[in-house]
Amino acid sequence: CLQTLTIPHTILQKLTVNFVACQLCALISAFWFRLFLHPSKTSPIIRHVVATLLGLYFAMFCFGWYALHFLVQSGLTYGIMILTGVEHMHKYCLVVALTYLSLCQITRVYVFDYGMYTADFTGPMMVITQKITSLAFEIHDGVANRKHCGEMVLTLYLFRRMPSLLEYFSYNCNFMGILAGPTCSYNDYIGFIEGAPRRCRDYKDERKSSSKLRHSEPSPNMEVVRKVTTSFFCLLVFLSVCKVFPVERNIDDNFIANTPFYAQVVYLYLSMLTTRPKYYFVWTLADAINNAAGFGFNGYDSDGSARWDLISNLRILKIEFATSFKVFLDNWNIQTAHWLKRVCYERCPYHPTAATFILSAMWHGAYPGYYLTFLTGIVITLAARAVRHNVRPYFLHSSVHKLVYDVITWAATQIAICYTVIPFVLLSVGPSMKFYSSWYFSLHIGCILVAFVLPVKRRNLPLKDQQKSPVQESLQRHLEATDRTCSQKAKTT
């Protein structure tokens, strides 16, 4: 609902109020869900039913009958999972879910209203597509091909049975994430519903805090208050400053002709900086809703404080002070980055970086600006990787040199991000190419030259050939022992 700056101010206010009202209702429902439908008080079936019905109600309130697309997409892919074997189900689900999402996006953009978000029902479908494909890959890796599961098995993503239809719809359409996500592992969601959350994935931190772990369930109340306060502060910042630095001014003829280039660079940074708080608002509030329901606990820090970042989607300070393109991407839309890594990057044998960016562009939608952004992101990423690999070691010998390097790379990263994502905001080819032309495609040309000139490390060996850590080896041995036990029982029977 808050994805574009091309919406007139009155419509933007209406959409904002509608979205905020629904999310506040979801927040109140989340507290009620945790207190009165706690796993110790009710059965998982009741929790599934209530979470699904509330989710569909909120979806109908926001999107009307367009919300039926959520059920159709989920139903189609569930049928595929039932009718096809585990050997190829993940591929079919990815193709069908992504195709259905793309058709809805193309229809909404080019048939109904280009550039206007009067009924952007495809936003929730993007998250549902992630969940559908994540589960399909988890089942495939858990049943059909464990040895090619890579990081997923070793971080407890592995899932080894088909969910029921109720579980499937609850996972896809629960009220906590139906409007703004974030996506999550099916194992984590089922653990939350059944009251048996999985162990936190950060084994290093868990070992450090093992002596301080608490047996009682931690309260998320303070974390929810902090995140809700942060989200509404970001909303206030966005609504108050977005009109001061409009992105469209970057392509204004008078601005380009009469403004020194250094001032254009500064304005580009400020205009893109003021667009980010709307995403901070949406994702932080969504995280708070999940936490209020009791979902998102991720173990304890070394000092014994509870962590509620299992499904967090961003880290604001690390984004704003990122000193590399990779650090920025690692802390922006975190759950989507995990999804892209699991379903594409770790599995693509050739040019995984390019394939991952292209899949991300397809997933985002039908606007040409999205493709320009992610195609630009490919060359920026390759160049940033080459510079970091070849230049950074020379600045690590003293703290002063490291500080200078960090300041320079921070400025370069922020400008590179703004240069990359401005078509994402402008949406169309004409305005985007006008902006790049005013900069003489300087970053494109420079990054291509850097990527060709500077050597980079080859991609790591396939996951099955990498040396495993003790924790990974232990988990792998456990899986193999389970297989042997099941085989012996089958023979006995």
Side-chain angles (χ1 to χ4, degrees), residues 355-370:
T356 302
F357 274 100
I358 292 172
L359 175 60
S360 182
M362 295 175 62
W363 174 76
H364 272 89
Y367 287 111
Y370 296 163

Side-chain angles (χ1 to χ4, degrees), residues 12-232:
L12 177 61
Q13 285 185 327
K14 182 178 179 180
L15 292 175
T16 301
V17 170
N18 188 42
F19 176 82
V20 171
C22 254
Q23 288 295 74
L24 288 178
C25 289
L27 181 64
I28 296 172
S29 301
F31 280 111
W32 172 81
F33 190 81
R34 177 168 60 88
L35 295 176
F36 294 98
L37 293 181
H38 193 271
S40 62
K41 299 179 181 179
T42 188
S43 67
I45 294 179
I46 298 298
R47 284 168 62 85
H48 278 304
V49 169
V50 172
T52 306
L53 292 179
L54 281 175
L56 294 177
Y57 175 78
F58 290 142
M60 291 289 290
F61 179 84
C62 276
F63 308 109
W65 293 107
Y66 289 109
L68 292 179
H69 285 288
F70 309 161
L71 297 179
V72 173
Q73 186 187 32
S74 298
L76 283 175
T77 51
Y78 188 78
I80 289 173
M81 294 169 66
I82 294 295
L83 298 176
T84 61
V86 294
E87 185 66 28
H88 301 291
M89 62 179 294
H90 57 305
K91 301 175 185 177
Y92 296 149
C93 283
L94 177 62
V95 171
V96 172
L98 193 61
T99 300
Y100 192 92
L101 171 65
S102 298
L103 290 175
C104 290
Q105 289 171 330
I106 292 171
T107 302
R108 187 190 61 78
V109 169
Y110 293 104
V111 176
F112 292 105
D113 208 348
Y114 187 92
M116 300 293 289
Y117 281 68
T118 52
D120 189 9
F121 62 96
T122 60
M125 289 182 67
M126 294 167 67
V127 179
I128 293 174
T129 299
Q130 289 182 334
K131 292 181 177 181
I132 288 170
T133 52
S134 293
L135 176 56
F137 276 87
E138 289 172 22
I139 295 176
H140 167 78
D141 291 334
V143 177
N145 195 7
R146 279 186 210 168
K147 293 184 179 180
H148 180 60
C149 54
E151 186 179 345
M152 270 187 293
V153 166
L154 302 173
T155 53
L156 303 183
Y157 275 114
L158 187 144
F159 185 69
R160 297 157 75 178
R161 71 170 179 85
M162 280 292 299
S164 67
L165 187 61
L166 175 60
E167 291 172 333
Y168 191 70
F169 280 111
S170 175
Y171 173 56
N172 289 338
C173 303
N174 65 81
F175 74 96
M176 299 170 293
I178 187 67
L179 297 183
T183 190
C184 61
S185 166
Y186 180 82
N187 267 351
D188 291 331
Y189 180 74
I190 290 297
F192 155 72
I193 290 292
E194 296 178 352
R198 271 57 180 173
R199 289 156 57 91
C200 63
R201 294 177 188 146
D202 194 337
Y203 295 102
K204 183 178 180 181
D205 287 348
E206 188 181 25
R207 287 197 301 272
K208 287 181 179 180
S209 60
S210 59
S211 61
K212 301 182 180 181
L213 290 178
R214 308 172 188 176
H215 296 287
S216 60
E217 182 179 338
S219 171
N221 291 339
M222 291 304 298
E223 187 70 10
V224 171
V225 171
R226 183 187 70 82
K227 290 180 179 178
V228 170
T229 303
T230 301
S231 65
F232 277 91

Side-chain angles (χ1 to χ4, degrees), residues 259-322:
T259 306
F261 184 71
Y262 73 88
Q264 293 184 39
V265 173
V266 173
Y267 185 84
L268 172 66
Y269 170 70
L270 293 175
S271 63
M272 297 307 297
L273 176 66
T274 57
T275 66
R276 290 201 283 267
K278 62 183 176 183
Y279 298 101
Y280 296 164
F281 161 69
V282 172
W283 288 336
T284 305
L285 182 58
D287 195 17
I289 293 170
N290 282 273
N291 293 167
F295 188 29
F297 176 62
N298 196 26
Y300 295 91
D301 285 325
S302 57
D303 61 356
S305 59
R307 294 167 51 189
W308 288 91
D309 60 352
L310 180 65
I311 57 174
S312 295
N313 226 4
L314 77 166
R315 303 181 186 97
I316 296 176
L317 292 180
K318 291 186 177 181
I319 289 171
E320 298 301 339
F321 295 99

